[in-house]
Amino acid sequence: MELNTKTVEKLANLLNINVSDLSASLSTDKDIELPKIYTESQISVLTENIQKEKYESGKKAGLEMTFKNLKKEFSEKYKSEIESKDFTELINFVSEKESSNLKSEIEKLKLNSTLKSDEKVLQLQTRIAEFESEKANLQNQIENINTSYSEKEKDLINKFNSEKSNNL
C-alpha cells in the first residue's frame, strides 16, 4: 500500500514533525513519538484568556447589579421611575433631584426669614456646594475608570495579537 504524500506532508506539518519520519513510521512498524497537539505556552495563553473573559464578565455583572440596586434605591427614595441607562445619567438625575430639593428647602426658609433661617440657608448652600463637588469627583472617577478600562482593553488586544502572531 502506497501512502498519499500530500496527506502525509499535511499531517507532519500539523504535528510539527519531520515528513520522512512520519512516512517511515506509517509504512513500517517503526514507532514515532507524537508531540502534544497544544504546547504548554498555548495552553497557558488559552487558560489566561479564559480567566480574563471570566473576570470581565464578572466585572460587568457586578457593575450591572450595582447600577440596578442604586437605580432601585433612588427610584424608591424619589418615588419616581428612573429611566437612566448608565451611571452618568443616574448621577445627573440624582444631582438634579437633590439640588431641586435643597433649593426648595432654601426657598421655604427664605419665606420664614429669621436669623436662624438665614443660618439654615447658609448651611443648605454649603451642602449644595459640597454636593456639586462630590458630583464632580464622581464624574472624574467615572472618566478615570473608563480611561483605565480602555487602556487595559487595548493592552490585552495588543498582547493577544502578539501571542497570536507568535503562535502562528
Side-chain angles (χ1 to χ4, degrees):
M1 167 175 87
E2 200 168 311
L3 298 175
N4 182 335
T5 56
K6 287 185 179 184
T7 303
V8 172
E9 285 177 26
K10 287 179 186 177
L11 282 171
N13 286 336
L14 181 66
L15 295 170
N16 200 24
I17 58 175
N18 190 320
V19 176
S20 59
D21 290 345
L22 182 60
S23 294
S25 176
L26 291 173
S27 58
T28 65
D29 284 340
K30 181 181 173 189
D31 225 0
I32 187 171
E33 175 101 14
L34 294 175
K36 296 178 182 174
I37 293 180
Y38 289 107
T39 64
E40 290 299 319
S41 65
Q42 289 172 324
I43 291 171
S44 175
V45 167
L46 289 171
T47 303
E48 189 175 313
N49 288 341
I50 290 170
Q51 289 172 346
K52 285 177 186 174
E53 286 178 21
K54 284 183 181 179
Y55 171 79
E56 288 301 322
S57 67
K59 177 181 163 185
K60 183 179 177 183
L63 285 172
E64 287 173 356
M65 286 178 9
T66 302
F67 179 73
K68 260 187 177 175
N69 290 339
L70 286 173
K71 192 173 169 180
K72 180 181 177 186
E73 178 182 325
F74 286 118
S75 290
E76 290 171 0
K77 178 178 180 178
Y78 299 119
K79 295 176 177 52
S80 67
E81 188 62 33
I82 299 175
E83 297 298 325
S84 304
K85 295 190 179 20
D86 61 21
F87 283 103
T88 305
E89 289 179 11
L90 182 62
I91 289 170
N92 289 337
F93 175 83
V94 171
S95 69
E96 287 173 18
K97 284 289 192 180
E98 287 295 318
S99 293
S100 173
N101 289 347
L102 290 174
K103 286 175 184 173
S104 66
E105 280 185 53
I106 289 171
E107 292 304 317
K108 286 178 188 175
L109 289 174
K110 282 182 179 178
L111 291 174
N112 303 327
S113 74
T114 64
L115 185 57
K116 274 190 169 181
S117 65
D118 286 340
E119 290 174 20
K120 279 281 194 186
V121 168
L122 290 174
Q123 287 176 348
L124 291 173
Q125 287 173 334
T126 303
R127 282 179 55 198
I128 288 173
E130 291 171 349
F131 183 77
E132 292 297 330
S133 172
E134 185 178 325
K135 174 187 169 187
N137 287 338
L138 287 171
Q139 287 174 328
N140 285 338
Q141 287 177 356
I142 288 171
E143 288 177 23
N144 290 341
I145 289 170
N146 284 337
T147 301
S148 173
Y149 178 77
S150 295
E151 290 171 1
K152 287 180 183 179
E153 185 178 40
K154 287 176 187 175
D155 287 344
L156 287 175
I157 289 170
N158 289 339
K159 284 180 183 178
F160 174 77
N161 289 336
S162 174
E163 284 291 329
K164 185 177 175 183
S165 66
N166 289 343
N167 286 335
L168 289 176

